[in-house]
Amino acid sequence: MSDAPVLPPAPPAPNPKPVIPPKPAAGNAVSQERRQFIFTWLGLAWTAFALATGTALSTVLRFMFPNVLFEPKTSFKAGRPDDYEIGKVDERWKEKYGVWIVRTLEGIYALSVVCTHLGCTPNWLEGEQKFKCPCHGSGFYKTGINFEGPAPRPLERLRISLADDGQVLVDKSKKFQQEKGEWNDPESFLTP
Ligand code: FES
């Protein structure tokens, strides 16, 4: 017989606890909302930044390429007085500058090709010795005086002078109206 002490039976092993996945903490939901909030504001901030940058860029581009308006010249040299035949309406500058030059025995004047009714361009009819507007039929004598149709006043004359080099110089920026007595102005008429 052995005298070894009899050990008490080992206690039963504790039942393994089931592993329960951690519940999402309430704080998680809050942080998710916060993240969404931050992303939204970040998106807005980037959009605003992009818009501001685009605006600034377009301003710089406009500065680099200014909106220059190329207007036709208001004055031009029209050759020598002798280039114009006495008694003739010269149409060589009609298309380019909108001017007729007329030479008479007394001198030379420049007429605007703009009809004083509603602004159409009349035609010079050599056979009838008159300017005739195709729009509403106004007629003007060679002098520019209106005599038929609805035009309320004569064609306008333009400043004319002799340049230093002896050429006829027409300045469209200065107009002379017959009904105001401006055709008496020495700048409205050139005496070569
Ligand atoms: Fe010349 Fe009317 S525009 S007659």
Side-chain angles (χ1 to χ4, degrees), residues 13-191:
N15 282 339
K17 281 189 182 171
V19 179
I20 300 168
K23 281 187 186 170
N28 269 358
V30 171
S31 69
Q32 199 171 345
E33 268 178 26
R34 191 175 297 153
R35 229 176 289 136
Q36 274 179 352
F37 176 79
I38 288 169
F39 282 140
T40 306
W41 278 104
L42 265 179
L44 282 175
W46 271 109
T47 307
F49 175 73
L51 280 175
T53 308
T55 307
L57 202 61
S58 71
T59 306
V60 170
L61 285 175
R62 269 184 67 83
F63 179 75
M64 289 171 68
F65 302 99
N67 210 2
V68 179
L69 189 62
F70 293 99
E71 289 189 332
K73 280 170 65 176
T74 57
S75 66
F76 64 96
K77 286 184 176 174
R80 305 204 164 260
D82 289 345
D83 295 343
Y84 296 92
E85 208 178 319
I86 293 173
K88 289 281 182 189
V89 172
D90 193 294
E91 299 207 83
R92 78 184 82 169
W93 310 109
K94 180 182 176 185
E95 290 300 321
K96 192 170 182 184
Y97 294 110
V99 174
W100 287 296
I101 292 186
V102 185
R103 182 167 184 187
T104 66
L105 282 173
E106 293 78 34
I108 300 175
Y109 53 87
L111 281 176
S112 163
V113 303
V114 178
C115 176
T116 51
H117 179 221
L118 291 176
C120 291
T121 303
N123 298 306
W124 169 245
L125 306 181
E126 181 69 29
E128 299 177 42
Q129 289 289 295
K130 69 178 183 183
F131 298 101
K132 186 71 174 171
C133 185
C135 293
H136 313 98
S138 290
F140 305 84
Y141 293 125
K142 189 188 286 183
T143 55
I145 300 284
N146 55 310
F147 69 94
E148 64 179 353
R153 57 191 182 84
L155 297 172
E156 293 174 343
R157 291 189 182 183
L158 308 164
R159 180 192 279 144
I160 191 165
S161 59
L162 217 49
D164 292 342
D165 59 1
Q167 289 199 60
V168 174
L169 182 64
V170 178
D171 177 7
K172 293 178 64 184
S173 67
K174 175 68 180 165
K175 296 185 165 85
F176 300 91
Q177 295 179 224
Q178 187 269 347
E179 68 276 17
K180 293 182 179 172
E182 293 173 347
W183 284 8
N184 295 324
D185 191 310
E187 290 192 322
S188 71
F189 200 83
L190 178 64
T191 312

